[in-house]
Amino acid sequence: RTLGSAPAPKERELRACVTTDLPAGWRLPRIAVVVVDVLVSSLDASTAEICEVAFDVRGAGDQHVSFSSSCLPRGPITHEAWLGHGLTKTMLIKAGAPELVKVLEEASVFLNDILGERDYVFCANDAREFVAPLLGRLADELGCYGFSRAAWVDLGMVGRLVAPAGERRSTESE
C-alpha cells in the first residue's frame, strides 16, 4: 500500500486549551512525571510544527490531571503527517485552533499551577530524537524557554531497556 492509497483518517473533535479537574485527594510524588504527546505538521523535527499537544501530569497512584489543545501550525501539514493523525489546516482553522505561542503560554500556567516548585521530568515516546528537540526549538522561537530547559526521558528507550529486542514479556499470569 502506498501513501496515496491509504484510507483517510476519520474526523474527530478538536479542542483548545482544555484541562481536567484535580481529583479528590490530589498528591504528587517527589519528582513529578509529565507525559507529553504531540501531533505534528511533518515528520522532520527540524521543520515540524505542532498541530496538537497534551501534557498529562501523573499524580500519586492512578491520579492524573491533563492539559491538551489543538494548535494552528504556521506552515503546511504534510501528507505523511496527515496520514498519521488526520488533521488538516482547514480543520484546525474551522475549529478555531489557537497559535502555538498561546497554547504554550496556557500550558506553562497550567504546569506551574500544578507543579509549583516541585522537580519534574517530561516523558515522551521518541523524546530524544523528535519531541524534545521539536518542543525545545519551537518554545525558544516563541520565547517560552521553560520547555527547552526541561529534563526528558525517552519512553521508547526505557521500553528497550526493560524488554530488549527479541524478548517478549507476557502480561498474563502464568
Side-chain angles (χ1 to χ4, degrees):
R1 174 179 282 221
T2 65
L3 290 177
S5 68
K10 294 181 181 176
E11 296 257 343
R12 58 191 179 84
E13 180 184 359
L14 298 174
R15 303 175 301 168
C17 300
V18 176
T19 61
T20 57
D21 294 328
L22 286 177
W26 172 252
R27 295 184 333 254
L28 281 171
R30 194 174 67 75
I31 298 176
V33 173
V34 181
V35 179
V36 181
D37 190 22
V38 295
L39 300 180
V40 294
S41 63
S42 81
L43 304 180
D44 179 355
S46 67
T47 60
E49 300 234 355
I50 295 175
C51 299
E52 191 169 83
V53 63
F55 297 94
D56 191 54
V57 181
R58 307 306 299 181
D62 63 352
Q63 296 178 327
H64 68 98
V65 62
S66 63
F67 170 94
S68 63
S69 183
S70 54
C71 312
L72 186 62
R74 294 173 286 192
I77 296 173
T78 65
H79 184 73
E80 293 81 8
W82 171 79
L83 287 172
H85 54 59
L87 298 175
T88 66
K89 196 143 182 185
T90 302
M91 287 169 59
L92 292 166
I93 291 168
K94 284 168 79 173
E99 292 182 358
L100 181 60
V101 67
K102 178 178 179 356
V103 172
L104 291 182
E105 288 168 353
E106 293 284 332
S108 291
V109 169
F110 165 78
L111 291 170
N112 286 330
D113 287 350
I114 297 298
L115 300 172
E117 296 297 316
R118 185 175 308 278
D119 291 329
Y120 65 92
V121 62
F122 282 157
C123 301
N125 198 25
D126 203 16
R128 186 173 148 199
E129 300 295 325
F130 195 85
V131 180
L134 167 75
L135 191 55
R137 174 182 59 82
L138 292 172
D140 283 352
E141 287 175 11
L142 299 170
C144 301
Y145 299 108
F147 294 99
S148 61
R149 295 188 176 104
W152 285 86
V153 171
D154 189 313
L155 296 175
M157 292 180 75
V158 171
R160 286 187 293 280
L161 290 172
V162 173
E167 279 188 43
R168 180 158 185 244
R169 298 189 186 216
S170 174
T171 57
E172 299 174 14
S173 57
E174 295 180 13

